[in-house]
Amino acid sequence: MPRCCPCATSSSPSLFLLPSVPASSASKTASSRRVAFSPCDGAFSCVSGRLRWGTRPRGRCATVEASGKDGSGTAEEEKEKDEPGFNPFGFVTDNPSSRSAIQLPAVPAEDGNVGQMLYRIEDKGREYGSYVRSGEFRWFVRETGSRDARRGTIVFLHGAPTQSFSYRVVMAQMADAGYHCFAPDWIGFGFSEMPQPGYGFDFKEEEFHKAFDDLLGTLNITEPFFLVVQGFLVGSYGLTWALNNSNKVLKLAILNSPLTVSSPVPGLFQQLKWPLVGEFTCQNAVLAERFIEAGSAYVLKLEKADVYRLPYLSSGAPGFALLEAARKVNFQDVLHRISAGFSSNSWQKPILLAWGISDKYLPLSIAEEFKKANPSVVKLEAIEGAGHMPQEDWPEKVVKALISFL
């Protein structure tokens, strides 16, 4: 009597037998195949022409054995044994930095599922950070340096769909240079609070401004400070806040941000405005890291990609916050106000443009056009090798430019 699948146990229930393959059919092939496939809850075997099914304890067993009549396999069969098995999750993403986190191993229940990914990365990316209650909201704020820093205070503001994590290296080195640095995650981004739209926060520009004013008071930043801004949407709100509060800003440093009405808007923000498409797009867990990599010449290392992915992987709230903010913003109106507000007739504070010239969203020509509107105030420094987020791509060059400017 043929043996059943070795994965089965003596305690397995009775096996269901399919009819044997006729001998005449078997003789047409040069070799017989014995297949044993054991999913998590069952065992399937084909031994000497018989198919068997039975239950087995959960475990790892997925084998294909090919042998000739004499027990030795042909070269083609040996090659087939060496080839990796089909991974049904391999198509999830083609992003190199995401593959090890998204692709699932042989036994998904043991590692690689969402719960395991969260467990692996949930404590990452909080360098220099702590939670601060300001007004109605809980902010996540990174801080380096001391309050008695001799060179003053710097506030770093990020853009969408990223977070203050991008400034971690820059602010650490600026603290070493004698500055007191803060880098908050905007409300609805990173590790800050994610209010539900329509319940106390509607993700409009004026609400971001008010929340930021409240945060400055909570952090006891009462004297004029240096402001560093980068990125789209909430990054632009940082610039419009500066226009409304020029008396609070000593100097302004701008890293790759839309500055003119000719600045292109990335496809991500256009998709978010489309009904239904936006709802699906905002729930992509690798949305932030793909946006960063698409604007840069580099692929994020896995440990960095984990941090940018974490908020969107932990909850649907960050995605819906981004969706709401993207649908509330009027990009052309904001860009018109930025372009006009920082022109020679309106703004006299020093401005540094530290521009990653490999930015695939905003070419260097955007910075050059902005500089022409106020050449006596604006200093342009091109950062070779850096893309849309120079503070992430090449923080050392950003630090050098900031220290020279400030």
Side-chain angles (χ1 to χ4, degrees):
M1 179 177 179
R3 294 182 299 110
C4 72
C5 171
C7 299
T9 64
S10 58
S11 61
S12 301
S14 300
L15 301 177
F16 173 71
L17 303 182
L18 293 178
S20 300
V21 177
S24 59
S25 299
S27 64
K28 295 180 182 179
T29 60
S31 63
S32 63
R33 291 183 62 84
R34 184 171 64 187
V35 180
F37 174 69
S38 299
C40 296
D41 294 317
F44 167 76
S45 67
C46 174
V47 183
S48 301
R50 290 184 181 273
L51 300 178
R52 297 173 179 268
W53 173 263
T55 59
R56 55 175 290 271
R58 296 182 67 88
R60 183 189 305 243
C61 183
T63 62
V64 176
E65 180 181 348
S67 62
K69 291 182 178 180
D70 58 355
S72 61
T74 65
E76 182 178 350
E77 291 168 339
E78 291 297 328
K79 179 180 179 181
E80 181 180 334
K81 285 199 299 180
D82 294 336
E83 290 178 352
F86 170 65
N87 179 6
F89 298 93
F91 62 85
V92 171
T93 177
D94 57 1
N95 184 350
S97 69
S98 305
R99 286 177 182 163
S100 61
I102 297 298
Q103 286 185 343
L104 304 188
V107 182
E110 293 181 2
D111 184 50
N113 54 55
V114 172
Q116 287 294 328
M117 281 190 284
L118 286 173
Y119 179 78
R120 178 173 61 83
I121 68 179
E122 63 182 353
D123 294 326
K124 287 187 176 182
R126 290 174 170 81
E127 291 90 336
Y128 317 117
S130 62
Y131 286 97
V132 176
R133 171 65 65 175
S134 175
E136 300 178 2
F137 304 110
R138 190 169 178 246
W139 293 71
F140 182 80
V141 182
R142 302 174 197 271
E143 180 181 4
T144 59
S146 62
R147 293 193 176 276
D148 58 352
R150 66 187 186 281
R151 293 191 173 181
T153 300
I154 307 175
V155 177
F156 296 88
L157 297 179
H158 69 86
T162 63
Q163 52 173 288
S164 63
F165 175 74
S166 64
Y167 287 116
R168 67 200 179 281
V169 178
V170 171
M171 63 189 302
Q173 295 186 17
M174 293 304 291
D176 293 340
Y179 294 93
H180 187 202
C181 304
F182 294 94
D185 285 344
W186 283 106
I187 294 299
F189 292 83
F191 300 110
S192 286
E193 187 170 343
M194 308 286 170
Q196 185 176 350
Y199 291 85
F201 199 81
D202 288 328
F203 296 91
K204 296 179 180 179
E205 179 182 0
E206 57 271 20
E207 292 179 311
F208 281 108
H209 286 178
K210 182 182 183 303
F212 183 58
D213 280 324
D214 292 342
L215 177 65
L216 292 177
T218 301
L219 297 176
N220 197 29
I221 302 177
T222 57
E223 299 294 327
F225 57 90
F226 303 109
L227 180 63
V228 180
V229 177
Q230 188 274 330
F232 288 92
L233 212 164
V234 286
S236 296
Y237 290 165
L239 294 177
T240 56
W241 179 90
L243 288 173
N244 297 335
N245 298 272
S246 60
N247 61 314
K248 298 181 181 180
V249 178
L250 288 174
K251 293 183 178 181
L252 175 63
I254 304 174
L255 315 180
N256 299 55
S257 304
L259 300 174
T260 66
V261 291
S262 61
S263 300
V265 177
L268 168 65
F269 300 107
Q270 299 176 30
Q271 293 175 15
L272 289 170
K273 288 181 175 290
W274 298 342
L276 191 60
V277 174
E279 278 75 7
F280 279 97
T281 300
C282 75
Q283 294 305 308
N284 181 358
V286 297
L287 176 152
E289 70 199 70
R290 284 188 168 181
F291 180 84
I292 295 170
E293 292 177 338
S296 172
Y298 307 102
V299 172
L300 289 171
K301 291 183 178 179
L302 177 60
E303 58 267 23
K304 298 179 182 179
D306 280 342
V307 180
Y308 289 110
R309 178 189 307 127
L310 179 56
Y312 297 94
L313 192 65
S314 303
S315 165
F320 287 119
L322 175 63
L323 177 71
E324 197 70 17
R327 288 181 171 175
K328 294 290 175 61
V329 67
N330 183 330
F331 282 106
Q332 286 304 305
D333 173 65
V334 171
L335 294 178
H336 176 76
R337 284 186 281 125
I338 290 174
S339 179
F342 289 108
S343 66
S344 58
N345 296 328
S346 306
W347 184 272
Q348 299 303 321
K349 302 289 183 70
I351 297 177
L352 169 68
L353 299 181
W355 209 267
I357 62 176
S358 297
D359 190 342
K360 298 177 183 178
Y361 297 126
L362 299 168
L364 184 62
S365 59
I366 298 296
E368 293 171 339
E369 180 183 350
F370 181 81
K371 176 179 171 60
K372 288 179 181 179
N374 199 345
S376 63
V377 168
V378 179
K379 174 186 177 183
L380 173 59
E381 183 159 343
I383 301 180
E384 295 186 6
H388 180 63
M389 291 175 62
Q391 73 271 32
E392 182 69 78
D393 291 345
W394 216 302
E396 296 80 8
K397 290 186 177 181
V398 172
V399 169
K400 183 179 178 180
L402 289 176
I403 290 177
S404 175
F405 173 67
L406 301 180

